Amino acid sequence: MDGQSYVSSTLERIKQISPGQTVFLQAATEILNSLQPLLDKESKYHKHRILDRIVMPERTTMFRVTYINDKGEACPHFGYRVQFSSAIGPYKGGLRFHPSVNLDVIKFLGFEQIFKNSLTGLSMGGAKGGANFDPKGKSDSEIMRFCQAFMLELQTVIGDVIDVPAGDIGVGGREIGYLFGQYKKITRRFDGALTGKGLNWGGSLVRTEATGYGLIYFAMEMLAKNNASLEGKTCVISGAGNVAIYACEKLYQIGAKPVTVSDSTGYIYDKDGIDVELLKRLKEVERVGLQNYTKERVNAKFTPVSAYPAGRNGVWDVPCDAAFPCATQNELNLEDIKVLYNNGCRLLAEGANMPSTLDAMKFMSEKSDFLYGPAKAANAGGVATSGLEMSQNAGMLKWSFEKVDQELQNIMKHIFDISYETSVEFGKPGDLVLGGNIAGFRKVADAMIDQGY
């Protein structure tokens, strides 16, 4: 059976055994199709039925989470932990608290995590978890009670050498603190079972900045390969969370100018450059919408979501040199990327997980004058620094900001190098989707064969 036939049969099987899981199917379609050259070259992956096995989680845990809100009402939610692969290390992947969370979304995120973690060069398997709980509008007490109820169930399947969750959308330092406190109370263990911890109790410097910084380090490697840089470039960013904030910060540090950010209420265009300290205060301290940004930056413009055409994000209409989608999956479609390209954008690196639709990805990959950094490679800085936090916890050490940041830069360079070299090996120099997916897959698949399962 050739590579195309093997991929097609596997995707058909996913449709049969996971009906209605469209986001997971999208992720599997993108990854598996890019593996065809490797599958044609190496028959062992078909012989050992690696595709059939790797698209199935090793373990899926679903549970009910009930907490009592401030009104004394019982509030039930679904909780999930999908442990996809432990072939190269303990399961590793974030927890997402958001109303959109369901099994389909968690499986997509966990599947992508396998290959992202593999690319870092660290010993980490792939997993993801979360709940359809929305922290927005909840009191600290309600969030604490929810986190404690969630950990009551999660603690049965995690541990420092078993499965190490981290944060994701809706799960920041506050939530990790409540989760770890409950884990410690139940298990009587103070270990590295969670990353993203507070700096005074096992956390790592640079962890907060890591995904945003890593994204820009990766984009810098892409441009350096083409004898170019981000210095002096105008950049648009979607999102206003952790990734977007610290991508903005790093862009300023290297001489570029970010002019947009967005959230669920709308987007900001600040022609003078996004005020990072104001953005941090609004999102990390006050936890309010971006419409408040213009109260202090009167020359900036806020455009509400209601003003966008259906299916569009107004951020992508702003002329720029480089774009960084840092919000959520499928936020950038074919029409969006065409607008960006026609307005002069020539680089896009993904800070969110699978933010581009399949047809948008195809458009970017086919443009010879366009640089495209896919999420599994470009946004791996967060999980890479989580891995570095695991190393510090295991040795009961605390590294300096400079040491962790240098390690992060080294990892992002390694990810770019191995992705680019693999793209050259398979005859498509610069196709980082193909190169990254094959490089990430090959390491995990070979480990599965070696271990005989």
Side-chain angles (χ1 to χ4, degrees), residues 53 79 86 110 154 199 230 290 315-316 346 358 415 422:
R53 292 155 58 188
S86 60
L154 186 69
L199 294 177
L230 280 166
L290 282 177
V315 164
W316 313 127
R346 288 298 179 268
L358 289 174
I415 293 171
T422 306

Side-chain angles (χ1 to χ4, degrees), residues 231-242:
E231 186 175 359
K233 300 294 193 297
T234 297
C235 304
V236 297
I237 294 177
S238 67
N242 196 57

